[in-house]
Amino acid sequence: MARVFQVFFSVAIGFLLCFTGIARDAHKQRIAPKGVFQTDSVEVGKPVYFSLSVRHSPESEIFFPDSTYDFSPFELVSQRTYVSSTDARGTLDSAVYHLISFDVSKVQKLRLPVFVFQKKDCTAVFTTADSVLLIKSNNIDLSKKPALKEETRLAALSREFNFSMLIGSVALIIGVVGSIYWVFGRDIYKQWQLLKLQRRHLEYVRSFNRLMRSAREKGNIKDAEKAIIIWKNYLERLEKKPFATYTTREIIDNMPDDELADALKNMDSIVYGQGRSGNMERYLEVLKTGATRLYRAKRKFVLDSPVA
């Protein structure tokens, strides 16, 4: 009896294993992935796209090839997967592979698997192979010797501005100028101040002498008055004080000098009294000498003053 039970149990186990294998094979057969190229031709080094899709039961777990898979004779550039969609026919998963090929075979084939997850491992189910034809428009036929063609015409080149040279030159100029200013900056500033003082003084002397000569030769009181106005304006710029609006008394208070005070009073009598005097030229000369004395004092002040 025990022998009969043992035989019956063995037969039942065999039928169960066989049924399980058949069911698993049937499940595999229901999964039929599709893989096709989106174009029928390819050029060397140019992109080509391969679409991979599979429909399966919602309970199944499917994995697509990634960058670790060998796509020979193609190379993977990128991969784009799409969101799964489920309907009465099952779940649809799909992906598009951006590939590139450097193979020069006339016909290039590719088939890709999808991986069905099971309890202990994954089963690879492949698509049928799809192929593309190689276009040789950008291929070089090495069997033919290239023929060199003489070209003697000059090719016109477009001019481009050298910004790096410009930036380098500007930086060099700034560096040189900065170094010079750092070493000689104080002396340069003083010389510039002295140059302005000298230029203004020469302009004043030239204008004053012309009016003084005209007043002497023609006895023109108006020219003498203009000379005094120029003298006051020059002192105003030199001393930074409003000499142009000062009265004779205010000028004497700011420039204490007996000879200068006497010259100013006499020039007031000549100008406002419309009188003529043989000493007018001497009075104007005293005024010019006083302004020159202030100019020299200002020049000495600039030379002796430290520059921050």
Side-chain angles (χ1 to χ4, degrees):
M1 183 67 180
R3 180 68 177 174
V4 173
F5 180 76
Q6 183 179 6
V7 171
F8 177 76
F9 182 75
S10 299
V11 172
I13 293 297
F15 273 110
L16 181 60
L17 293 175
C18 181
F19 178 78
T20 302
I22 293 173
R24 184 169 64 250
D25 293 341
H27 179 69
K28 290 180 183 179
Q29 291 174 358
R30 286 198 298 271
I31 297 177
K34 297 180 180 179
V36 293
F37 286 102
Q38 295 184 357
T39 56
D40 56 0
S41 60
V42 65
E43 294 184 62
V44 175
K46 297 295 181 67
V48 64
Y49 297 91
F50 187 87
S51 299
L52 177 62
S53 62
V54 61
R55 189 177 294 278
H56 59 88
S57 63
E59 294 80 12
S60 301
E61 290 191 48
I62 304 295
F63 298 97
F64 280 23
D66 57 13
S67 57
T68 60
Y69 187 77
D70 184 10
F71 290 84
S72 298
F74 299 91
E75 296 180 12
L76 178 65
V77 177
S78 63
Q79 172 187 355
R80 181 179 181 183
T81 57
Y82 297 88
V83 180
S84 302
S85 61
T86 304
D87 54 19
R89 296 177 296 171
T91 299
L92 177 65
D93 287 318
S94 59
V96 175
Y97 294 89
H98 178 188
L99 306 173
I100 192 170
S101 175
F102 296 98
D103 197 306
V104 293
S105 302
K106 294 182 178 180
V107 179
Q108 300 182 20
K109 298 182 179 181
L110 180 66
R111 66 176 190 144
L112 294 180
V114 296
F115 300 96
V116 184
F117 178 74
Q118 297 177 355
K119 292 182 179 180
K120 296 184 178 180
D121 59 1
C122 290
T123 302
V125 182
F126 282 84
T127 64
T128 57
D130 194 21
S131 60
V132 288
L133 298 177
L134 180 67
I135 300 176
K136 296 186 177 182
S137 60
N138 61 348
N139 284 11
I140 299 176
D141 190 358
L142 298 179
S143 62
K144 297 180 180 180
K145 293 183 179 180
L148 298 179
K149 185 178 180 180
E150 184 178 354
E151 180 62 59
T152 57
R153 292 179 300 175
L154 296 177
L157 300 179
S158 59
R159 293 186 177 182
E160 295 184 359
F161 191 78
N162 195 336
F163 285 99
S164 59
M165 182 66 72
L166 174 63
I167 294 173
S169 300
V170 171
L172 179 61
I173 293 172
I174 292 175
V176 172
V177 172
S179 300
I180 293 174
Y181 183 79
W182 183 69
V183 177
F184 305 105
R186 295 182 178 182
D187 293 334
I188 292 174
Y189 181 76
K190 282 187 177 182
Q191 292 300 322
W192 172 247
Q193 293 293 100
L194 294 174
L195 182 62
K196 289 196 298 182
L197 284 174
Q198 184 181 21
R199 179 176 57 82
R200 291 172 183 173
H201 184 71
L202 291 176
E203 290 177 356
Y204 151 72
V205 170
R206 188 181 303 113
S207 299
F208 191 88
N209 286 339
R210 177 175 54 80
L211 291 171
M212 185 173 64
R213 184 170 57 254
S214 176
R216 182 187 67 241
E217 293 176 354
K218 300 178 181 180
N220 192 339
I221 305 300
K222 292 292 184 181
D223 287 339
E225 184 179 2
K226 291 178 183 179
I228 295 174
I229 293 174
I230 290 177
W231 179 79
K232 290 181 178 181
N233 290 333
Y234 174 67
L235 293 184
E236 183 171 312
R237 296 185 65 183
L238 190 64
E239 293 293 312
K240 300 295 188 289
K241 294 180 181 180
F243 278 91
T245 59
Y246 277 177
T247 62
T248 300
R249 172 55 57 186
E250 291 173 328
I251 295 174
I252 294 173
D253 291 340
N254 283 271
M255 299 176 63
D257 185 282
D258 293 338
E259 189 177 8
L260 181 65
D262 183 64
L264 281 173
K265 291 177 182 178
N266 283 283
M267 286 305 301
D268 283 346
S269 300
I270 294 172
V271 171
Y272 299 111
Q274 295 297 314
R276 303 186 66 174
S277 173
N279 295 325
M280 183 174 60
E281 182 180 1
R282 184 175 66 83
Y283 299 145
L284 292 175
E285 192 69 37
V286 171
L287 296 182
K288 186 176 75 169
T289 302
T292 303
R293 185 167 58 249
L294 287 178
Y295 159 72
R296 291 173 179 171
K298 187 71 173 180
R299 182 181 176 88
K300 185 176 185 302
F301 174 79
V302 172
L303 285 171
D304 297 339
S305 298
V307 180

